[in-house]
Amino acid sequence: MSEDRPTDHAAVPDTGDEPAAPTAEPALAAAETAKPAGRRRLPTLLAIAAVLFGLDLLTKCLAVAYIKPYEWIPIIGDFAGFRLVRNPGAAFSMATGMTWLLTLVAAAVVIGVIRIGRTLRSLWWGIGLGMVLGGALGNLVDRIFRSPGPLQGHVVDFVAVGSFPVFNVADSAIVCGAILLVALTVFGFEPDGTRSGRKHSSEETA
């Protein structure tokens, strides 16, 4: 007499259906919602702005203390030197009759740069915006606190090179920072740390 022995594995009916292959949709969705790589660059931006602002303020104080108005102090013959002037206009003595408007524009630039910097992840964008912020703050302080009065103050300029209008450290920082930001935009470097050309190519590959 034979006895039925329990089988090791339960019988599974063959329905003919194969397991569904995993799709790439979850991975793509996760990639789209992922945050940009890199750390925030606001501290870098603020550090650069603080250094340039301090340097601008120090050099202006020294210029006012040791250079007489319109006195020429040669550094490289007649090509480059120091000449103290009071500028009511923008960088390089432009828009001299719009001092109050330039003050408001400088204040708006400061606020805008700080707002952008809160989500910034690109080091180079942080450097460029830090230069613009430091320069804008330097000239803004002059317009608020120097004579002839608030919002009408004249900016201290003292660097003379060739036939260029007399300028200061803040003017140089603004111009150099703006050039850097334009170059970053032209070559596709984004404020979030990505590069537009590479971003598009990776999306096409996916």
Short mmCIF file of all heavy atoms in Angstrom, two decimals, residues 125-163:
data_model
loop_
_atom_site.label_atom_id
_atom_site.label_comp_id
_atom_site.label_asym_id
_atom_site.label_seq_id
_atom_site.Cartn_x
_atom_site.Cartn_y
_atom_site.Cartn_z
N TRP A 125 28.86 81.66 -11.34
CA TRP A 125 27.78 82.63 -11.19
C TRP A 125 27.87 83.33 -9.84
O TRP A 125 27.58 84.52 -9.72
CB TRP A 125 26.43 81.95 -11.36
CG TRP A 125 25.97 81.89 -12.78
CD1 TRP A 125 26.27 80.94 -13.71
CD2 TRP A 125 25.10 82.83 -13.44
NE1 TRP A 125 25.68 81.23 -14.91
CE2 TRP A 125 24.95 82.38 -14.78
CE3 TRP A 125 24.46 84.00 -13.04
CZ2 TRP A 125 24.17 83.07 -15.70
CZ3 TRP A 125 23.70 84.69 -13.97
CH2 TRP A 125 23.55 84.23 -15.28
N GLY A 126 28.26 82.58 -8.82
CA GLY A 126 28.44 83.18 -7.50
C GLY A 126 29.53 84.24 -7.50
O GLY A 126 29.39 85.30 -6.88
N ILE A 127 30.63 83.97 -8.23
CA ILE A 127 31.71 84.95 -8.31
C ILE A 127 31.25 86.20 -9.05
O ILE A 127 31.47 87.34 -8.61
CB ILE A 127 32.93 84.33 -9.01
CG1 ILE A 127 33.51 83.20 -8.13
CG2 ILE A 127 33.99 85.39 -9.30
CD1 ILE A 127 34.63 82.42 -8.81
N GLY A 128 30.59 86.00 -10.21
CA GLY A 128 30.14 87.14 -10.99
C GLY A 128 29.13 88.00 -10.26
O GLY A 128 29.24 89.24 -10.22
N LEU A 129 28.14 87.36 -9.65
CA LEU A 129 27.13 88.12 -8.91
C LEU A 129 27.71 88.76 -7.66
O LEU A 129 27.28 89.84 -7.25
CB LEU A 129 25.96 87.19 -8.54
CG LEU A 129 25.07 86.76 -9.71
CD1 LEU A 129 24.04 85.74 -9.25
CD2 LEU A 129 24.37 87.96 -10.33
N GLY A 130 28.69 88.10 -7.05
CA GLY A 130 29.35 88.69 -5.89
C GLY A 130 30.10 89.96 -6.26
O GLY A 130 30.09 90.95 -5.51
N MET A 131 30.73 89.97 -7.43
CA MET A 131 31.42 91.18 -7.89
C MET A 131 30.43 92.31 -8.16
O MET A 131 30.66 93.46 -7.77
CB MET A 131 32.23 90.86 -9.15
CG MET A 131 33.35 89.86 -8.93
SD MET A 131 34.16 89.33 -10.46
CE MET A 131 35.03 90.83 -10.89
N VAL A 132 29.31 91.97 -8.81
CA VAL A 132 28.30 93.00 -9.08
C VAL A 132 27.71 93.53 -7.78
O VAL A 132 27.53 94.75 -7.61
CB VAL A 132 27.19 92.42 -9.97
CG1 VAL A 132 26.04 93.40 -10.12
CG2 VAL A 132 27.75 92.08 -11.35
N LEU A 133 27.43 92.63 -6.83
CA LEU A 133 26.86 93.06 -5.56
C LEU A 133 27.82 93.94 -4.78
O LEU A 133 27.42 94.98 -4.23
CB LEU A 133 26.47 91.83 -4.73
CG LEU A 133 25.89 92.10 -3.34
CD1 LEU A 133 24.63 92.94 -3.44
CD2 LEU A 133 25.62 90.79 -2.60
N GLY A 134 29.09 93.55 -4.69
CA GLY A 134 30.06 94.35 -3.96
C GLY A 134 30.22 95.74 -4.56
O GLY A 134 30.28 96.74 -3.83
N GLY A 135 30.28 95.81 -5.90
CA GLY A 135 30.40 97.12 -6.54
C GLY A 135 29.17 97.98 -6.36
O GLY A 135 29.26 99.18 -6.09
N ALA A 136 27.99 97.36 -6.49
CA ALA A 136 26.75 98.11 -6.32
C ALA A 136 26.63 98.66 -4.89
O ALA A 136 26.21 99.81 -4.69
CB ALA A 136 25.55 97.23 -6.65
N LEU A 137 27.01 97.86 -3.91
CA LEU A 137 26.96 98.33 -2.52
C LEU A 137 27.94 99.48 -2.29
O LEU A 137 27.63 100.44 -1.58
CB LEU A 137 27.28 97.17 -1.57
CG LEU A 137 26.17 96.16 -1.32
CD1 LEU A 137 26.70 94.98 -0.52
CD2 LEU A 137 25.00 96.81 -0.61
N GLY A 138 29.15 99.37 -2.88
CA GLY A 138 30.14 100.41 -2.69
C GLY A 138 29.67 101.77 -3.18
O GLY A 138 29.78 102.77 -2.47
N ASN A 139 29.13 101.80 -4.38
CA ASN A 139 28.64 103.08 -4.92
C ASN A 139 27.33 103.51 -4.26
O ASN A 139 27.07 104.71 -4.13
CB ASN A 139 28.46 102.97 -6.43
CG ASN A 139 29.78 102.98 -7.18
OD1 ASN A 139 30.80 103.43 -6.65
ND2 ASN A 139 29.77 102.48 -8.40
N LEU A 140 26.51 102.54 -3.82
CA LEU A 140 25.26 102.89 -3.16
C LEU A 140 25.52 103.61 -1.84
O LEU A 140 24.81 104.58 -1.50
CB LEU A 140 24.43 101.63 -2.92
CG LEU A 140 23.07 101.83 -2.24
CD1 LEU A 140 22.16 102.72 -3.08
CD2 LEU A 140 22.40 100.47 -1.99
N VAL A 141 26.51 103.18 -1.10
CA VAL A 141 26.86 103.84 0.16
C VAL A 141 27.27 105.29 -0.08
O VAL A 141 26.90 106.20 0.67
CB VAL A 141 27.97 103.06 0.89
CG1 VAL A 141 28.55 103.88 2.03
CG2 VAL A 141 27.44 101.73 1.41
N ASP A 142 28.03 105.51 -1.14
CA ASP A 142 28.41 106.89 -1.48
C ASP A 142 27.18 107.75 -1.77
O ASP A 142 27.09 108.90 -1.31
CB ASP A 142 29.33 106.90 -2.71
CG ASP A 142 30.77 106.58 -2.34
OD1 ASP A 142 31.02 106.22 -1.17
OD2 ASP A 142 31.65 106.69 -3.21
N ARG A 143 26.25 107.22 -2.52
CA ARG A 143 25.07 108.00 -2.91
C ARG A 143 24.16 108.29 -1.72
O ARG A 143 23.43 109.28 -1.71
CB ARG A 143 24.30 107.26 -3.99
CG ARG A 143 25.11 107.02 -5.24
CD ARG A 143 24.25 106.54 -6.39
NE ARG A 143 25.08 106.12 -7.51
CZ ARG A 143 25.68 106.96 -8.35
NH1 ARG A 143 25.52 108.26 -8.19
NH2 ARG A 143 26.42 106.52 -9.35
N ILE A 144 24.22 107.45 -0.71
CA ILE A 144 23.36 107.66 0.46
C ILE A 144 24.03 108.57 1.49
O ILE A 144 23.37 109.46 2.06
CB ILE A 144 23.00 106.31 1.10
CG1 ILE A 144 22.11 105.50 0.14
CG2 ILE A 144 22.26 106.52 2.42
CD1 ILE A 144 21.79 104.11 0.65
N PHE A 145 25.32 108.41 1.71
CA PHE A 145 25.96 109.07 2.85
C PHE A 145 26.87 110.25 2.48
O PHE A 145 27.23 111.03 3.35
CB PHE A 145 26.77 108.06 3.66
CG PHE A 145 25.93 107.00 4.32
CD1 PHE A 145 25.86 105.71 3.80
CD2 PHE A 145 25.17 107.30 5.44
CE1 PHE A 145 25.08 104.74 4.41
CE2 PHE A 145 24.39 106.34 6.05
CZ PHE A 145 24.34 105.06 5.53
N ARG A 146 27.26 110.39 1.24
CA ARG A 146 28.16 111.48 0.90
C ARG A 146 27.38 112.71 0.44
O ARG A 146 26.19 112.63 0.11
CB ARG A 146 29.15 111.04 -0.19
CG ARG A 146 30.14 109.98 0.30
CD ARG A 146 31.27 109.77 -0.69
NE ARG A 146 32.15 108.68 -0.28
CZ ARG A 146 33.17 108.82 0.56
NH1 ARG A 146 33.46 110.01 1.07
NH2 ARG A 146 33.92 107.77 0.89
N SER A 147 28.07 113.85 0.42
CA SER A 147 27.44 115.11 0.01
C SER A 147 27.13 115.05 -1.50
O SER A 147 27.79 114.31 -2.24
CB SER A 147 28.39 116.28 0.31
OG SER A 147 29.60 116.11 -0.40
N PRO A 148 26.10 115.79 -1.93
CA PRO A 148 25.38 116.85 -1.21
C PRO A 148 24.21 116.39 -0.35
O PRO A 148 23.59 117.23 0.30
CB PRO A 148 24.90 117.74 -2.35
CG PRO A 148 24.70 116.80 -3.49
CD PRO A 148 25.78 115.77 -3.37
N GLY A 149 23.88 115.07 -0.32
CA GLY A 149 22.79 114.63 0.54
C GLY A 149 22.32 113.24 0.16
O GLY A 149 22.76 112.66 -0.84
N PRO A 150 21.43 112.66 0.98
CA PRO A 150 20.90 111.32 0.72
C PRO A 150 20.27 111.21 -0.66
O PRO A 150 19.55 112.11 -1.10
CB PRO A 150 19.87 111.13 1.83
CG PRO A 150 20.29 112.06 2.92
CD PRO A 150 20.88 113.25 2.22
N LEU A 151 20.56 110.10 -1.33
CA LEU A 151 20.09 109.80 -2.69
C LEU A 151 20.69 110.72 -3.75
O LEU A 151 20.48 110.52 -4.93
CB LEU A 151 18.56 109.85 -2.79
CG LEU A 151 17.77 108.92 -1.86
CD1 LEU A 151 16.28 109.04 -2.16
CD2 LEU A 151 18.23 107.49 -2.00
N GLN A 152 21.45 111.72 -3.33
CA GLN A 152 22.08 112.66 -4.26
C GLN A 152 23.60 112.68 -4.11
O GLN A 152 24.28 113.49 -4.72
CB GLN A 152 21.55 114.09 -4.01
CG GLN A 152 20.05 114.24 -4.22
CD GLN A 152 19.67 114.16 -5.69
OE1 GLN A 152 20.47 114.47 -6.56
NE2 GLN A 152 18.45 113.75 -5.97
N GLY A 153 24.14 111.80 -3.27
CA GLY A 153 25.57 111.80 -3.00
C GLY A 153 26.41 111.51 -4.23
O GLY A 153 26.01 110.72 -5.10
N HIS A 154 27.56 112.14 -4.30
CA HIS A 154 28.48 111.96 -5.42
C HIS A 154 29.49 110.85 -5.08
O HIS A 154 30.04 110.81 -3.99
CB HIS A 154 29.22 113.25 -5.73
CG HIS A 154 28.31 114.32 -6.25
ND1 HIS A 154 28.76 115.59 -6.58
CD2 HIS A 154 26.97 114.32 -6.50
CE1 HIS A 154 27.74 116.32 -7.02
NE2 HIS A 154 26.66 115.57 -6.97
N VAL A 155 29.70 109.97 -6.04
CA VAL A 155 30.61 108.84 -5.85
C VAL A 155 32.06 109.30 -5.98
O VAL A 155 32.39 110.11 -6.85
CB VAL A 155 30.31 107.73 -6.88
CG1 VAL A 155 31.32 106.59 -6.78
CG2 VAL A 155 28.89 107.20 -6.68
N VAL A 156 32.92 108.77 -5.12
CA VAL A 156 34.34 109.10 -5.15
C VAL A 156 35.04 108.24 -6.20
O VAL A 156 35.05 107.01 -6.12
CB VAL A 156 34.98 108.87 -3.77
CG1 VAL A 156 36.50 109.08 -3.84
CG2 VAL A 156 34.37 109.78 -2.73
N ASP A 157 35.62 108.89 -7.21
CA ASP A 157 36.43 108.21 -8.24
C ASP A 157 37.85 108.73 -8.15
O ASP A 157 38.08 109.92 -7.89
CB ASP A 157 35.86 108.49 -9.64
CG ASP A 157 34.51 107.81 -9.87
OD1 ASP A 157 34.25 106.80 -9.19
OD2 ASP A 157 33.74 108.30 -10.70
N PHE A 158 38.81 107.85 -8.41
CA PHE A 158 40.21 108.28 -8.23
C PHE A 158 41.20 107.55 -9.12
O PHE A 158 42.39 107.89 -9.13
CB PHE A 158 40.63 108.10 -6.77
CG PHE A 158 40.54 106.68 -6.29
CD1 PHE A 158 41.62 105.82 -6.37
CD2 PHE A 158 39.36 106.20 -5.76
CE1 PHE A 158 41.53 104.51 -5.95
CE2 PHE A 158 39.26 104.88 -5.32
CZ PHE A 158 40.34 104.04 -5.42
N VAL A 159 40.78 106.57 -9.90
CA VAL A 159 41.71 105.83 -10.77
C VAL A 159 41.56 106.35 -12.19
O VAL A 159 40.47 106.33 -12.77
CB VAL A 159 41.42 104.32 -10.73
CG1 VAL A 159 42.41 103.57 -11.63
CG2 VAL A 159 41.50 103.79 -9.30
N ALA A 160 42.66 106.83 -12.76
CA ALA A 160 42.65 107.36 -14.12
C ALA A 160 43.61 106.54 -14.98
O ALA A 160 44.79 106.39 -14.64
CB ALA A 160 43.07 108.83 -14.11
N VAL A 161 43.07 106.00 -16.08
CA VAL A 161 43.88 105.19 -17.00
C VAL A 161 43.61 105.66 -18.43
O VAL A 161 42.47 105.56 -18.90
CB VAL A 161 43.55 103.69 -16.88
CG1 VAL A 161 44.37 102.88 -17.89
CG2 VAL A 161 43.83 103.20 -15.47
N GLY A 162 44.64 106.17 -19.09
CA GLY A 162 44.50 106.59 -20.47
C GLY A 162 43.40 107.63 -20.65
O GLY A 162 43.27 108.58 -19.86
N SER A 163 42.60 107.42 -21.68
CA SER A 163 41.51 108.34 -21.98
C SER A 163 40.19 107.93 -21.36
O SER A 163 39.17 108.57 -21.60
CB SER A 163 41.33 108.44 -23.51
OG SER A 163 41.04 107.17 -24.07
#
